[in-house]
Amino acid sequence: VCETMNDLLIAYKMLGSNKVRIRPLGSTEGSISASCPEEIRLYDFPRGTVVMDSLKAADKASDGIRIHSVIAFCGQQTVGTVRDRILLGKNPVATRPSEGGEDYVKTIESFVKGVLDRLRPEGTGLFKFDCVNGEAVLTDISFGMYDLNHTFGLLQAQKVAPESVLFSWSAVPSKNLDVWAVWSKLLELHIAYNPSKKVRADRKGAFPLAFVKNGAAQFIAVAPTAEEAAAIKSQVDDILRQGIEENTEVEHSSFEDVNQRRIWCQGPRPEYRRETQRFNLPSRSIPLMRPKKDVIVLPGGYEPLTEFFNFCKEVLHLDDDQVIYTSGKTYNLDDDIDEEVVSKLKAIVGSAQEDHFALVPYSTTDNFNRWASQITALHASVIGDDAEWVKKFGHKGILHRHIRTPDQPSIIEELGVNVKVAKGYVCSTVEDLLDAYKAIGTSEVVIKPNFGAAGEGIIFVSEEEQLKLYDFPMGDVLLEEKLNLDKASDGIVLSPAVHYMESKLVGKALVDQIMVGTGYAGWRPSVAPKVFQDFASRLTRKLVGKLEPRGPGGFDFLSVEGEPILSDVNTGRFNGAHFPKIFREMYAPNKEYYVFKYKPPANLDIWVFWNRLLESNLAFIPGKTQSGVFPLIYLRGLSGQFIILADTMQICSKMHERTIKLLQKRGGPSVPKIGRAVQAVSAVSGNETDMILIKNAHSIFAPERLGVSNVLVGGESIRGLLDDETAAAMEPFCRSVIDARDMFVVPGFVDIHQHLIGGGGELGPRSRTPEAKLSEILEGGITTVIGVLGTDAVTRHLESLLAKTKAMNEDGITAYFWTGNYHLPEVSLMGSAKRDVALLDLCLGFGELAISDHRGSHSSVEELIKLVGDVRIGGMIGGKCGVTYCHMGHCKSRLQPLFEIVKQTDIPITSMLPTHMDKTPELVDEGIEWIKMGGYIDLTANAIATRKTIDYLCEKSVPMAHVMVSTDAYGSRVEYDDEGQPLRAGYAGTTGLLTLMRRLYFEDEWPMEDILPLVTSTPASFTKLVKKGTISVGKDADILLLDRNTLSLQYVIARGSVMKTPDSTRRGFGE
């Protein structure tokens, strides 16, 4: 053991060896060899004390590989047997059974046993030996570590294959090769070793111990003999080196194969735009899922959809691992399926070797194929037509000729089927529309997008000028004559539809679509004449025979003077009627059925509705009852679809009437008979049951630390701060329970400065910043926000800001706004700032008014006095704070205009609030004077500058109760040159308050109760938002749950609704 250079030189002389090794103590890295004193003198002890020992060449095995042996231990027991490490340079790349001979191995095992008996370790480690002249030479002992190159492999082998020969090695996979593709190839070659299977002595194969795509991998080969293990290693190396040739051939399977496990992935086509399609299409397959068999991919971040799955999970006995949620960031589900989702699907498919999986998309598109090819590479199939078939036949365009090629037959004509269609043409441009309009020769026509569905994009037109305005939002369209349609006896348009799955028709008869406007509101057995139905069925069979589809589709007909008109082609995709028909076949094939749409009220929880059905004996419970009502889609506030199953249509009709009344019923919910325990508790706001219990919190800050660990939320308010006993008693009566173990519970942030409709523009139109997004505001922990206009009142307007503020309130958070903008004379909505503040509920004051800024109006003190006084009076009349919120610039006058107002008038200093007060050191110093006079200041969240300002304020003993912080989110951040010209611009995000909190807490070691007032209680009290900023009984339930170890945001509750969970964040309209 050596600590100095002199030690090394003495040791080298004493060892008497030409070649020595120098190894740092306590480290597996930094070992070097030396062969002369001059080399030794260059060593600088980078890791402290070292060991020097003589370096002797190890003996070679029969294949020329030197014998460097290892044996692992765990506690006082060895793991496996002595194995040889195969080194590439100094790096171990594989292990194999030792080639040192029986005596050599026994010597090592005896020695190691003696050491373990004496030292009695409790952890893991390794002994390393070299075979030198046939003898075992101990070269290293490592305690308290796993060595990925061999220890983990030995442990694994000892557990699952104790009698087998193990070969473990490192490798670098070829580019873009992932572990599931390798595993699939191993299965194909019958060399996949599955450790979970029952141990057999003859089992052999390879298994990845570690695998990083585009990185490194670690494998073990298990076999009865060393030769077989080496052969398996060679096969694996070939796979890793050569990669796997991509198989572009996709296997198609039949929906009728009930043994296959379906992966439902029903995302809308790229052309679709409706919000209902975004969530309806994925959700309507949930009721078709089979327990412990099928899997579904759903868009994340949308609470009503999560609620519907959880309902079906309980009623249909599904499991949590049967659903995978995407991020929910994009409209199209296929585009939202990222590497994380694909990896989960690969794990499901790859780990169930005996099962066959089939992907079930809404329609096969390029977007679908982008990710699905990675799953089909694992031998999963697809139920549906291929993308090329869909592009050719899967659209309405097959009905008509293109207006540019009127002499070229349509696909329907080429198929040689005798059917009437409306007079019309395919069009791609406005010029095409105008030409087609003239060719059709009728005044009233209909525009139908080629790839439209559920009535989306259908427009009735009666003038040529209207056609000139069309902008083809969904691509090519049909322009058709408007038909005079027949109606059934009840006045509903007669619109029979036939649906198929592959080569067979679905259902026993046609269904009539219950049309409302251009869309359908449900289905019922067709009341069309039998001859009409027979014709439609024969025609569909003929078309199916000609088209040879591999998946689902359908054809819609209209009746004109009793004659069938083929009006719509829904080929290459699932139709809405497929799902109730399949549901009926699964659970009540002999019953009549009626399907209707009805949007559930936003506040009608699905369990409340279900319990109403149960109490009224109307609930259809799959597998238990044979008649009743079941929700096929239930997205409260967005859409609903319900199926009624009964012996006769008359009974269906009566059930329909009763179900509508239950959906429309007002008042408290019923007590459930199954499912969650939702119960009316009169002690909490009358009949209110929509309660959330937050339990087991590590700490609750109000902002001060409270002595309880449970919060009860009812409606939009905090109903109780409970001890553990009371919380346990209340838990059965709560609709939702959040376990806040290891979390801090704090008030939601109050952000008084956000550019909700965007800001900027100082660098021209391209520098205009985007509007605020609900999800981004929630990710910043903000539950109350005040919007501002800013510099630009030319291209942005207070009317838009007011509308955006209302939208944010409708989305579930609390939002207000400051009227006016940077400049005087003021812009307003009601004729003056005073009237805005007094008369508009959501207007709290005026701002942000530019003071000492080159972009401001450079108004006189007299003009400022008049404005501030008017705003204050408006606040007094309207019961508001009536504050003039002042944007502080870089000009030398700084706060002087505001000091003059205080000096010249009796207007309270609290009628003005200067912001951006951390902009310059001089401004900070004036802010201290402002606070000493009784005023408040607002800082702009910037992790570095804001912290420096806060530290400086504390050094000056400034009362921090007069300081608050806001984000300036979506406001532009412009950099100027020395001459005041703008150079570049960005914009502020919404997470500044969270970032500042983390820095103050972890780096500056501020107590949480000192940080929180800056962003919660102080801005709330200053703006007179009396129900905001604190956690106390009766206050608004605006609550954040933070991981106490990282302060990462886990949950956001705003006005009593869960807006963010660890897995999803609510999104606003259009996100």
Side-chain angles (χ1 to χ4, degrees), residues 23 181-182 257 290 342 366 392 407 445 500 507 527 580 734 1058 1064:
R23 294 179 295 159
V182 174
D257 183 355
R290 298 165 294 175
V342 170
D366 292 339
K392 183 176 182 180
D407 297 329
V445 292
Y500 65 83
V527 297
C734 294
V1058 179
S1064 64

Side-chain angles (χ1 to χ4, degrees), residues 756-757 771 789 795-807 829:
L756 294 180
I757 59 171
E771 283 198 3
L789 201 55
T795 68
R796 302 184 193 273
H797 316 96
L798 286 175
E799 290 83 354
S800 299
L801 180 57
L802 173 59
K804 183 70 172 183
T805 304
K806 289 182 176 180
L829 292 167

Side-chain angles (χ1 to χ4, degrees), residues 268 278-279 299-300 326-337 370 1067 1070-1071:
R278 177 184 183 183
F279 298 111
T326 67
S327 68
K329 293 180 179 179
T330 60
Y331 174 88
N332 191 294
L333 183 71
D334 289 320
D335 295 339
D336 212 29
I337 294 178
R370 173 191 61 80
R1067 286 169 166 74
E1071 287 193 57

Side-chain angles (χ1 to χ4, degrees), residues 36 181 190 220 241 246 316 353 456 479 487 553 557 596 644 701 865 1060:
C36 64
H190 303 290
I220 55 170
R241 182 173 56 255
E246 184 176 350
L316 301 178
Q353 301 172 30
E456 182 176 4
L479 189 71
K487 296 182 179 180
F557 295 84
F596 69 96
I644 302 173
F701 298 91
I865 289 173
K1060 171 182 166 53

Side-chain angles (χ1 to χ4, degrees), residues 85-95 147 149-150 170 218:
R85 298 180 301 149
I86 300 174
L87 303 181
L88 183 60
K90 297 179 182 179
N91 300 316
V93 294
T95 69
D147 186 322
N149 287 295
H150 35 252
S170 302
Q218 183 77 20

Side-chain angles (χ1 to χ4, degrees), residues 22-32 43 46-47 50 90 140:
I22 301 173
R23 294 179 295 159
L25 281 181
S27 175
T28 58
E29 299 179 353
S31 177
I32 65 169
Y43 191 73
R47 291 181 173 83
V50 299
K90 297 179 182 179
D140 198 8

Side-chain angles (χ1 to χ4, degrees), residues 948-996:
K948 289 182 178 179
T949 300
I950 290 173
D951 287 342
Y952 182 72
L953 294 175
C954 290
E955 289 176 11
K956 297 296 183 180
S957 301
V958 171
M960 296 305 292
H962 283 240
V963 180
M964 62 196 83
V965 184
S966 60
T967 64
D968 195 19
Y970 305 101
S972 62
R973 296 280 175 87
V974 183
E975 294 182 31
Y976 295 89
D977 62 20
D978 294 337
E979 297 179 2
Q981 296 300 314
L983 293 173
R984 62 187 65 86
Y987 66 93
T990 60
T991 58
L993 304 182
L994 269 177
T995 302
L996 176 65

